[in-house]
Structure formats: C-alpha cells, structure tokens
Amino acid sequence: MMTASADLGTDSAWRIDSAKSSGILTLQRGMPRLCYWGNPLERGISPEAIARLTRRPAVPGALDEPEALTLVPEAGTGYGAHPGLVVSRDGETLTTQLQVTGVDIDEHRLAFDSEDLLAGVRMRMTIGIDPDSHTLYTENTLINLASEPLALHWLTSMTLPLPDNHTDCLLLSGRWAQEFQMHRVQHGVSAHLMDNRRGRTSHDRFPGLISGSSGFSAERGQAIAAHLAWSGNHRLLLDRARDGQPLVQMGVLANIGELTLRAGQRWTAPRAYAAHSGAGYNVCMQRLHTLVRRRILRAESFAKPRPVHFNTWEAMYFAQSEQRTLALVEEARSLGAERFVLDDGWFEGRIDDASGLGNWRVCSTKYPNGLEPIFAAVESAGMQKGLWIEPEMVNADSDVYREHPDWILAERSRVQPLGRHQYALNLCRDDVFANLLENISDVVARYGLDYLKWDMNRDLVHATDDLGGAGVRWVEAFYRLADCVRERFSALEIEICASGGARADYAALARGDRIWTSDNHDPHDRQRIQNGFSLFFPPEIMGSHIGSATSEITGRHHALAFRVATALIGHLGIEPSREALTEDERASVVRACRWFKDNRSWLHSSSSYFADHPEPSVIVRCQVATDRSRALMVVALLDTPMHGVIAPARCLGLQANAVYEVNALDVDDFSAREVAALSGEILGQVGLQPAIMRPDSALLYEFTRRQ
C-alpha cells in the first residue's frame, strides 16, 4: 500500500519484521530515521511509542534541533558528520533537504520516496529485513529531475546507527597471500576512515566490518556485522553523530566527475547488508551465511554437491605441455578429484606473466593437438572440465594489444603503472565487451566446459576513458559480462578469483559459485585467512586446497595431516607442487577425498561456530549440521602455547539435552577412535581436553547424536 504525503508527520512510524528481528522507522526533518533495530518486538508494541522513546534531544551549544541521523543524512538539515548525499551542479555544491512524499509498505520492507524540487532531485530509500536470514538491507536510488547534469559525488549505501555501548570494531585487512586478517580498532571521538582505491574489492580493505560492545567475541557481547556488496572502490566510515551516537556508513567511492546524471537519469547505489546479535559475532556470521545461501547464490549452486577440485597451477605454472597435463589428469583421477581445472599458461604466447594474456587461442607449441585430448581425458576419467581465464586483462606483448592499443583503460597522455605486466581492458567500450563475450563463449562452447576460474590479477590505475572516470562503469560492465556468460551457459559454474581473495564480496559472488580465498596454501596462514573469510562467507564457497609440503609462498614445511585438516573445512581441492607425493601421502589424500564426499552434504549446509579460547594461538571451529545430528570440530594450534597444557576445546551449537558419541579422527588414515559419549550441554560448556600438541597441528573430532 502507499501512504499519501498528507499522512506523513513527525509522529509517523513504521515497523518491519522477521521472526528474529524488528526495525522501527520514523521521520526526522522529513526523512526516515532507523530508531530501533534488534531482537523482535511484540506485535502489540506501537512503533510510534518506540519512536518517541528513542527520540534524542538537541545537543547543548549546537543547533536548536537534534541532528537528523537519517537513512541518508544531509548537510542541509544541519547534519555535521559525513553526509549521506553530496551532489553539485555547474561546479557548485547543492544544499539538499529531501522530504518524504510517500511510503511503499509491506511486512518485511519499506520504500520511502522523497524529493527536493528546489535542488531538482528525487530519491527512493529502501530498507528491509530478509525473512530467512533476519538480516537488514538498504538500497538507495537517486534521480536527476532537472534538465542540467547532476554530479553525484557520494551516495551512501547504508548509514547505520549503532548502539551507544559499541566501543570496538573488527576490520578485515591484510595483503596478497595474507587476506582477511582480523584487526580491532576503537570507536574514537573522531571518524575512522577506510578507503579502498584499488579498483577491485582489494586484498587489504575488505568492504565489511563487525562493530560491538567492549570486548565482544565470537560468543559474547553485542555485535553488528555490515557488508557492502560492491567489487570496486569503496568507503567504510566509523563515525559519531554530534550527540555521540556511533554509526557506520558505507558506499561506492567514485572519483570526481565519475558519476554524472543526465536529465531524468537515475543511479542506484549497491546494496548493503547487516546482521545483529546479542550473543557474539557467531550469530551474525550464521545469519550472513544464510543470506548468502538463500539470496546471493543461485539456488542450484547451493543445492548441488561441491566436487573435489584438482588445480594445475603449482604443479606446472607456465611450463605446460600435453604430456605433463595428461599425466596430471591421471593423477587427479587416481586421487579422487571430480573436477580438473587447467590453470594459467594454456594459450598462445604465454611463456611467463609478461606475455600472451589476451591471446585466447590454444598454444600450438604446448598443445599441438589442441585442448581436445586433454578434456577428452578429463571426461573419460569422470571429472568435470575447468579452465582458467583472465578476460579483463591484457599484456602489452599480445596480439590484442598490438592490434587494439586503444582498447585498454588508460589516460592516453600518461605512462600507466602496470600490475603483473598487464593492462586492464576497457569493458565500458561496446566493441571490447562484445569481443570478450564472444571469446569467453567460444572457449566454453568449444570444450563443453563445466567451470571457469575467472581471475583478475591487478588493481586499476588510471581508470578513465574518453568519457571520463570509468571506475564505477568498469565494475558494472564486469557484472554485465559475467551475467551474459551465465545467461548463455546456465549450467556453467564460475570461480571468483583476483590474485587470491581480492574480489570477495556479495556482488561478485552473485555472479559466481565459489571464491578463491587466497593464493597461499600454507595451512599456518590459511587457518587465520579462512577464519576471517568465514565471518561473511559460508564454507562451501571457500576454495581450500591441499597444497605442497613446502609452501611455494612462505617456504614453511607442514605435515600432510595439518594441510588436510585445514582444507577440509572449505570446498576441498588438491593443488600439488612439482614434488611427487609419496605412496603414503597419496593414500592419505585419497582417504581425505573420500571423507569429504561422504560428509559434504551436511557440512556444506552446516552452521559455523568459533569457540572462544584462552590461548591466542588456538583456533576452535565447529561445523554443526542443520538438524544438529552431527558436527565436526577442528582444534588448530598455530604457535607454541604459553602454557604446557591447552585448555579444553568446546563444541558449540549441539543439542543440549542430546547425547553425542565423540570420535577423534586420525587425519593420516581417517580412522576414528571413540573418545566419549557426552551431552551437548557438557560438550558446549566444558568441552574436550586436547592432548599435547605441537605448533602447526590440528585435531579433528566428529560428533554423532545418539538416536
């Protein structure tokens, strides 16, 4: 239904609900303000009463009226922190004072229409609660009503008020091969700004955070997790309103002049999502996982079993040949792999990372008979066919660049810094877009591919073209390209990769089925990389491979048992080095693959829990089946502990009054040794006492509920 403008007053209030979450909105200065979001409220509670109860007074010594911390706060209403909307015409900043003119209402969603005729802008602000995951989402669309162009400098995707007792914030940062590292900062008296200007989601500035009460942890304290579904430049801002209320604001970080709306044109900021919890960030994590499974991923992607991967990169790098690749196909089959992915190096001129990129023709020297014999062998072995591509990039030493130097994304008068010896193609051009779509389609159709590993190995620099700044348009063009490929090949699965985990976000994942978490297979690093990743993504989309004994990136050496225990938690893969596996190692990998296949159906729909532990170098992770009939707990020790004996590890999420048979799983031979039969309550509160462990080792426990 629509609420007419005549019904809109300062006492108007609305509510949105799911079974485990409620939100109350009211008007302040004519714009919607989220005055409550949290645990569900009783149906009989008046939203108007909540709005009155949460009305904040004006700050002494400031303006006469309280600052309006609305869904899109405006400087023109006296909001003194970072505004939610910044626009200009003819080089002059516009003062906006949008006013709600109507509300589109249903149980789970509110859409507020507003306009400022003097500024010549209209906006639709949508806020809703997903009924399955109980997560909040917001989406804002701006329309230019005037005949003159409107320069859009900033439009918030989400401005979320936080509880006053939120003092801590968990950010995910890092670098290549060390992504998703957890870092804590404090809500200060001034803003904490985290800008990403890499042109892609980035290794070091993940577009998400978790805010919480003092000392919040996986199990304890209030927590709110928020994420921006965008794969390019972005801004995350921890701030405070004038009255001291903490808040988070996030949105697309466009360069000056990059977003200009013509008369009647509109632009919709990417969606942002948030989850709340009163019992630590485990609940936020579980709700975001449900959101990904129910709303972000394709239904068929979530429903089908995740096949064991075999990826060729570290086994051959660029030194590919038909003979070596066919030998790897046989190796993959014998180990129990179900999908074979031929990585970078298969196309013409690709002798190293400085040449050949963009030549999407099979290298006749490496593969004189083409890739047909390779994929025939893959198919004969009963495996799915996968191939690596990096369609958006090109080397200067390539036929494409030599024939079309004007196709790259560049400022023509400047020398552009390179990344991995390559340029970005300008996807915003129709001819480039059409060429890439046809090249990708030809490769997929010719070999009947089941899978693409879609990579992006450089940041964007000089993201401009003849129309001006192109960073936003380029990301949107990537979305269209991936969508077109999926539309042509509905059964095709796509892995989102960008030098590892530099394109990990919900908008990219909506075009894919799996995310390559990191190029680093070292299980010591992978434990923390995967834990940070898991705060926002469920285990089944987390690419996690059994790598070589000696890490190609860190040089550290690890036993196979630790490598297997670390990889089993995600979407299992095998990525051997050039060193041959021993017979014992081969047998262990075969058993690991068999265990994964036997358990993935429940593991990849399970709920994830991290258990707090007093030893900082211990990570306790639990995966609990949806019906709580079984669970897997991984206890990993990464460094020498402070004390000689490690404190008990607790398995969370089990049915409290049920009895579980507990087996310790030997990762070398996957034999199970019965440990105990205990109630879910005891296992969750007291836990199991680990044996003495060495650094860089892991214990696996299986829990099975007695009938």
Side-chain angles (χ1 to χ4, degrees), residues 527 561-562 565-566 568-569 618-622 632-637 646-647 649 663-667 673 675 688-694 696-703:
Q527 282 285 336
F562 188 43
T566 301
L568 279 178
I569 284 296
V618 168
I619 294 174
V620 181
R621 177 172 183 150
C622 313
L632 176 71
M633 180 170 72
V634 182
V635 183
L637 176 65
I646 297 169
N663 290 311
L665 195 63
D666 188 320
V667 186
R673 175 178 57 84
V675 174
L688 300 173
Q689 176 60 60
I692 300 298
M693 300 174 65
R694 287 183 173 180
D696 283 352
S697 65
L699 302 173
L700 268 63
Y701 296 94
E702 292 181 297
F703 303 83

Side-chain angles (χ1 to χ4, degrees), residues 212-461:
S213 53
S214 179
F216 78 93
S217 68
E219 299 182 56
R220 297 176 179 84
Q222 290 186 10
I224 289 176
H227 173 70
L228 177 69
W230 176 247
S231 311
N233 293 344
H234 59 258
R235 168 168 289 171
L236 267 61
L237 180 71
L238 285 172
D239 209 349
R240 287 188 185 273
R242 183 71 175 266
D243 60 11
Q245 182 170 20
L247 63 102
V248 60
Q249 188 173 154
M250 53 181 61
V252 171
L253 184 61
N255 289 321
I256 294 173
E258 198 167 344
L259 287 172
T260 300
L261 305 184
R262 302 182 303 274
Q265 189 178 3
R266 66 182 60 207
W267 187 75
T268 300
R271 276 196 178 190
Y273 299 90
H276 71 81
S277 167
Y281 60 72
N282 274 339
V283 176
C284 295
M285 174 173 62
Q286 292 153 13
R287 290 180 175 179
L288 291 172
H289 289 187
T290 300
L291 172 73
V292 169
R293 288 164 170 167
R294 300 287 181 87
R295 298 289 180 263
I296 306 299
L297 287 172
R298 299 182 299 171
E300 57 268 33
S301 178
F302 174 58
K304 67 172 61 174
R306 299 279 172 158
V308 177
H309 271 230
F310 186 99
N311 196 73
T312 67
W313 175 241
E314 290 196 359
M316 294 191 293
Y317 294 106
F318 299 111
Q320 296 185 14
S321 70
E322 181 177 303
Q323 182 180 3
R324 297 184 73 180
T325 305
L326 286 173
L328 287 176
V329 171
E330 174 55 27
E331 175 81 347
R333 183 206 61 77
S334 67
L335 292 174
E338 299 163 296
R339 175 182 286 157
F340 184 88
V341 182
L342 181 59
D343 212 297
D344 189 2
W346 57 269
F347 45 92
E348 196 68 60
R350 192 63 162 170
I351 57 174
D352 54 29
D353 62 6
S355 60
L357 192 61
N359 298 339
W360 299 115
R361 307 181 309 279
V362 177
C363 178
S364 57
T365 303
K366 299 176 183 179
Y367 298 101
N369 300 304
L371 293 182
E372 283 81 0
I374 305 299
F375 288 124
V378 171
E379 196 166 4
S380 178
M383 294 185 291
Q384 295 181 12
K385 296 171 285 188
L387 193 65
W388 179 96
I389 61 169
E390 191 177 2
E392 301 137 280
M393 302 296 159
V394 64
N395 289 131
D397 184 7
S398 68
D399 294 342
V400 172
Y401 183 82
R402 282 186 284 270
E403 294 170 9
H404 303 283
D406 56 324
W407 278 14
I408 66 168
L409 193 66
E411 188 171 346
R412 300 298 166 196
S413 58
R414 302 290 181 185
V415 176
Q416 183 177 161
L418 300 183
R420 210 179 186 226
H421 308 287
Q422 61 196 42
Y423 295 102
L425 288 167
N426 185 3
L427 307 187
C428 308
R429 287 179 55 140
D430 291 342
D431 50 358
V432 175
F433 187 97
N435 177 269
L436 291 179
L437 179 57
E438 290 311 310
N439 279 335
I440 297 170
S441 299
D442 178 67
V443 168
V444 173
R446 178 176 301 176
Y447 304 114
L449 296 178
D450 304 291
Y451 193 79
L452 284 179
K453 182 180 178 181
W454 189 315
D455 209 344
M456 178 197 181
N457 275 308
R458 66 154 292 171
D459 295 341
L460 296 187
V461 183

Side-chain angles (χ1 to χ4, degrees), residues 626-697:
T626 53
D627 63 358
R628 297 192 288 177
S629 63
R630 59 194 309 175
L632 176 71
M633 180 170 72
V634 182
V635 183
L637 176 65
L638 302 187
D639 298 299
T640 303
M642 179 65 67
H643 305 290
V645 175
I646 297 169
R650 295 170 298 112
C651 186
L652 307 179
L654 300 175
Q655 185 177 332
N657 60 358
V659 174
Y660 289 84
E661 295 177 0
V662 184
N663 290 311
L665 195 63
D666 188 320
V667 186
D668 285 320
D669 62 8
F670 278 83
S671 61
R673 175 178 57 84
E674 186 174 348
V675 174
L678 297 167
S679 72
E681 183 176 23
I682 293 296
L683 290 166
Q685 292 189 12
V686 179
L688 300 173
Q689 176 60 60
I692 300 298
M693 300 174 65
R694 287 183 173 180
D696 283 352
S697 65

Side-chain angles (χ1 to χ4, degrees), residues 179-190:
E179 301 91 332
F180 309 109
Q181 301 300 302
M182 300 183 196
H183 297 281
R184 285 204 179 232
V185 298
Q186 300 293 306
H187 287 277
V189 295
S190 59

Side-chain angles (χ1 to χ4, degrees), residues 154-175:
W154 173 258
L155 174 57
T156 179
S157 285
M158 175 178 280
T159 299
L160 184 64
L162 300 171
D164 288 278
N165 68 336
H166 276 216
T167 60
D168 296 5
C169 187
L170 189 64
L171 302 172
L172 295 181
S173 186
R175 61 173 180 84

